Amino acid sequence: MKDLSSPSRPFSPKLTEEDKTLDLTLRPKTWQDYIGQEKVKKNIQIIIQAAKKRGEPIEHLLFYGGSGLGKTTISHIIAKELDTNIRVIAGPVIEKIGDLAAILTNLNEGDVLFIDEFHRLNRLIEEFIYPALEDFKLNLILGKGPMARTMELKLPRFTLIGATTRLALLSAPLRNRFGATFQLDYYKKEDIEKIIQRSSRLLRIEIEPDAVKIITQCSRFTPRTANRLLKRVRDFAQVEGKGKITKDIAEKALKFLEIDELGLESGDRKILEVIIKKFEGGPVGLQTLSAATSEEEDTILDIYEPYLMQLGFIERTPRGRTATKLAYQHLGIKCKNSQKLL
Ligand SMILES: Nc1ncnc2c1ncn2[C@@H]1O[C@H](COP(=O)(O)OP(=O)(O)O)[C@@H](O)[C@H]1O
Ligand SMILES: [Mg+2]
């Protein structure tokens, strides 16, 4: 029998092999299948059309937004629409200027270079990227000391697409090198419902409309989470039910996964509980919170905190995070000192 309590938590920022396969299977390849984010889509379509008319590559684009909101997906669609190759690389992988030179000189005219986790790009590399982005040239320094010479490499006109979960970590000059910056926000309820319906078709699983609603409610309005939950619920339906995802199966599966009706999992609740019980509601600093919950700081910043803030359960103050009245209510904890509450 399949182990339903499998290792990956539904909201984990770390992608398992299973997640990667799921991402690939369900990743939309056309604008039509890329659901929601209408304004961003429209803007990009205009940029593409205008560039095509001029017969030029499009300007450099930057996407920012939480994990699983569709940054990688939209970048692939853009390359497909432009009918060019896309080269995908993660920011931290480019360690030396030589790595950058190798990547850039291997591009063809008009290619898209997609750099994920752009905020983790090495600071030394940043300096070299400016002329590459502006003038399509790379200034290399050959040799050391008094014998050092600089050499200018001409690059093909390429388009950089950067993706980041942390816009604030990019320096202003770096941000300014992008022709346009787009934020991907949480999805609307209706859009997540459509995504779940589409994914169910692709995964060949029958799902009741009420079950779609239940999974949507727990999806944190994030496509990747919706898909992961759908897959877990499908496994549950195949083992515990008759293969169809009914309302009852969806409810049972989510309960089994310890996901509550707002989509909070044990990790979220632990953060709230620690703030409330250990630190009397806060404020508590990120480092302390990370130590007390054994969650990495990045995970708190990228995964837990944005959604808890969206729900209005925690607030960020200059002295740290505080739990709000809503958080106490949700956990059913009485507050001793009600004046303190936000
Ligand atoms: N707009 C969308 N419509 C439908 N599915 C989407 C959309 N955006 C993302 N997805 C789904 O969510 C998964 C994660 O998206 P991805 O682009 O990898 O997110 P990010 O790069 O922002 O972390 C994709 O594989 C895809 O199945
Ligand atoms: Mg991505």
Side-chain angles (χ1 to χ4, degrees):
M1 193 174 120
K2 223 172 174 147
D3 178 13
L4 294 174
S5 59
S6 83
S8 89
R9 287 162 28 211
F11 308 131
S12 159
K14 304 221 164 58
L15 299 187
T16 60
E17 283 309 310
E18 192 186 357
D19 291 323
K20 285 183 196 158
T21 316
L22 189 69
D23 262 7
L24 280 181
T25 322
L26 301 179
R27 178 162 284 154
K29 298 199 170 50
T30 61
W31 284 130
Q32 207 182 359
D33 283 342
Y34 192 88
I35 294 158
Q37 309 287 1
E38 297 302 333
K39 245 172 108 180
V40 175
K41 257 168 37 177
K42 186 94 210 134
N43 267 308
I44 292 172
Q45 282 163 349
I46 292 172
I47 290 177
I48 293 180
Q49 275 171 15
K52 274 190 173 167
K53 255 194 193 150
R54 291 194 304 264
E56 286 172 5
I58 58 166
E59 53 199 334
H60 307 300
L61 305 177
L62 180 65
F63 289 103
Y64 73 99
S67 169
L69 288 174
K71 301 180 293 297
T72 303
T73 306
I74 205 167
S75 306
H76 277 86
I77 295 178
I78 293 171
K80 191 163 173 279
E81 286 294 310
L82 291 170
D83 209 10
T84 61
N85 298 315
I86 177 166
R87 171 93 161 86
V88 178
I89 191 125
V93 172
I94 313 172
E95 286 177 345
K96 297 186 299 268
I97 176 69
D99 300 335
L100 181 70
I103 294 164
L104 294 178
T105 49
N106 271 310
L107 295 172
N108 291 317
E109 194 74 17
D111 277 359
V112 169
L113 173 64
F114 176 65
I115 305 187
D116 210 356
E117 299 181 73
F118 201 65
H119 59 277
R120 294 180 62 200
L121 193 73
N122 187 332
R123 279 284 139 107
L124 290 172
I125 300 290
E126 224 183 282
E127 301 281 310
F128 289 92
I129 272 210
Y130 297 147
L133 295 180
E134 274 175 357
D135 307 321
F136 303 97
K137 62 182 194 202
L138 200 57
N139 298 313
L140 293 180
I141 301 162
L142 303 175
K144 282 201 178 98
M147 296 296 285
R149 286 180 295 125
T150 57
M151 188 179 94
E152 192 182 284
L153 270 184
K154 263 185 84 66
L155 300 171
R157 287 205 57 157
F158 67 100
T159 295
L160 172 71
I161 302 185
T164 179
T165 48
R166 304 260 192 86
L167 186 66
L169 294 186
L170 298 194
S171 70
L174 193 53
R175 269 192 255 173
N176 292 339
R177 294 318 196 272
F178 290 94
T181 299
F182 297 101
Q183 180 184 13
L184 295 185
D185 213 339
Y186 288 116
Y187 285 59
K188 290 196 206 110
K189 215 164 86 193
E190 307 81 73
D191 293 333
I192 293 289
E193 286 178 5
K194 280 188 207 151
I195 291 173
I196 293 175
Q197 273 150 358
R198 172 180 175 269
S199 299
S200 316
R201 282 197 301 277
L202 291 174
L203 294 172
R204 296 173 196 279
I205 179 93
E206 215 182 317
I207 183 164
E208 282 181 355
D210 280 347
V212 173
K213 289 212 165 71
I214 289 168
I215 299 176
T216 300
Q217 199 60 40
C218 296
S219 69
R220 303 165 91 99
F221 306 104
T222 302
R224 179 181 291 128
T225 311
N227 285 338
R228 278 184 183 176
L229 285 181
L230 175 68
K231 184 150 179 290
R232 301 294 287 273
V233 175
R234 177 193 71 165
D235 290 348
F236 200 88
Q238 283 168 345
V239 175
E240 301 272 317
K242 296 202 177 79
K244 177 176 172 178
I245 303 179
T246 60
K247 178 169 181 261
D248 188 45
I249 284 283
E251 276 168 352
K252 275 193 186 144
L254 291 164
K255 196 158 172 229
F256 177 81
L257 293 169
E258 295 179 29
I259 293 166
D260 69 25
E261 67 286 356
L262 290 179
L264 299 189
E265 59 148 348
S266 52
D268 299 290
R269 287 190 294 268
K270 190 156 138 207
I271 287 179
L272 294 178
E273 272 168 16
V274 164
I275 299 179
I276 290 175
K277 291 186 180 160
K278 247 191 168 159
F279 299 98
E280 296 172 330
V284 46
L286 178 63
Q287 265 187 336
T288 316
L289 191 59
S290 161
T293 54
S294 338
E295 294 284 359
E296 282 172 29
E297 288 180 24
D298 277 353
T299 311
I300 295 178
L301 283 174
D302 284 346
I303 304 291
Y304 295 119
E305 198 169 78
Y307 188 59
L308 289 172
M309 289 202 333
Q310 164 92 0
L311 289 175
F313 282 5
I314 57 175
E315 279 187 13
R316 258 154 98 163
T317 71
R319 288 187 300 139
R321 283 75 182 153
T322 48
T324 66
K325 209 193 260 169
L326 290 173
Y328 281 79
Q329 280 167 1
H330 185 71
L331 294 182
I333 300 174
K334 273 227 168 79
C335 180
K336 288 181 217 141
N337 180 1
S338 59
Q339 272 107 355
K340 255 183 75 182
L341 284 188
L342 295 162

